[in-house]
Amino acid sequence: MKIIFKTTAALLHRVRADLGRPHAFAHERVGFIAAGLTAAAADMLVLAHEYRSVEDGDYLLDRSVGAMMGPEAIRKALQWAMRSRVALFHVHSHGGRGIPWFSGVDLRENAKFVPDFFKVAPQHVHGAIVLTTDAANGQVWLDRQQPCRPIDVFSVTGMPLKKWRTV
């Protein structure tokens, strides 16, 4: 089974613009993308449809990382997943060009909080995405018990259509 993450160019532009805004003390911004799921043959399509940024007051001052979400940011995201019954993907940007990968801190923190979304929205997959100016990469958890796996393909609909493999 391949995991294919699809978004519109307009939504991706909005995400990148928001993540590029300066913050009073965090070196980067983070947010969440809501998505629906569907099957296509043996593949799983993750269809992004909404973005919410982490609010300025929900960041913690932590100089050891680019950005640290506080518990209120996580609570709001959990509440969104539960009420809207959506798959949630944490998203941030590393800037630059080309297909990115998560830092060691990203991998450690993703593994701590992403599986918690299954407590409130067990019917969906959840994950994390890292962006550059022209590509993305990501991880997805199919359930709370299994290790994460990579998102295989990203697809951006719009003009021009963009698609890239990550594995």
Side-chain angles (χ1 to χ4, degrees):
M1 171 179 58
K2 284 192 305 195
I3 307 291
I4 302 166
F5 189 95
K6 292 185 155 234
T7 186
T8 64
L11 179 61
L12 186 57
H13 176 76
R14 232 178 60 235
V15 171
R16 285 188 171 124
D18 181 70
L19 295 177
R21 295 180 303 123
H23 185 271
F25 57 81
H27 297 293
E28 62 186 11
R29 287 193 176 265
V30 297
F32 290 93
I33 295 172
L37 305 173
T38 192
D43 299 335
M44 177 185 292
L45 299 179
V46 180
L47 306 170
H49 59 78
E50 189 176 350
Y51 169 75
R52 292 186 186 174
S53 62
V54 169
E55 296 177 23
D56 285 354
D58 292 340
Y59 287 84
L60 298 178
L61 181 56
D62 184 341
R63 302 220 186 271
S64 69
V65 295
M68 179 62 75
M69 296 180 296
E72 189 64 11
I74 300 293
R75 184 195 64 74
K76 289 174 183 175
L78 288 166
Q79 190 172 30
W80 185 23
M82 181 179 70
R83 285 189 177 160
S84 299
R85 300 181 145 217
V86 294
L88 274 192
F89 286 77
H90 176 264
V91 61
H92 73 286
S93 177
H94 283 179
R97 298 181 58 79
I99 297 174
W101 188 240
F102 297 98
S103 70
V105 170
D106 294 337
L107 293 170
R108 182 187 73 227
E109 294 300 316
N110 291 347
K112 283 183 186 177
F113 78 86
V114 172
D116 286 343
F117 287 95
F118 290 101
K119 293 176 184 175
V120 298
Q123 71 277 19
H124 289 295
V125 302
H126 303 287
I129 294 171
V130 61
L131 302 173
T132 59
T133 58
D134 64 346
N137 211 334
Q139 308 173 291
V140 63
W141 280 257
L142 300 177
D143 64 44
R144 188 177 173 84
Q145 305 306 319
Q146 296 181 42
C148 67
R149 57 173 288 173
I151 295 172
D152 299 291
V153 176
F154 280 84
S155 177
V156 181
T157 59
M159 293 300 281
L161 176 70
K162 295 180 184 179
K163 183 176 178 180
W164 60 93
R165 297 182 75 67
T166 60
V167 291

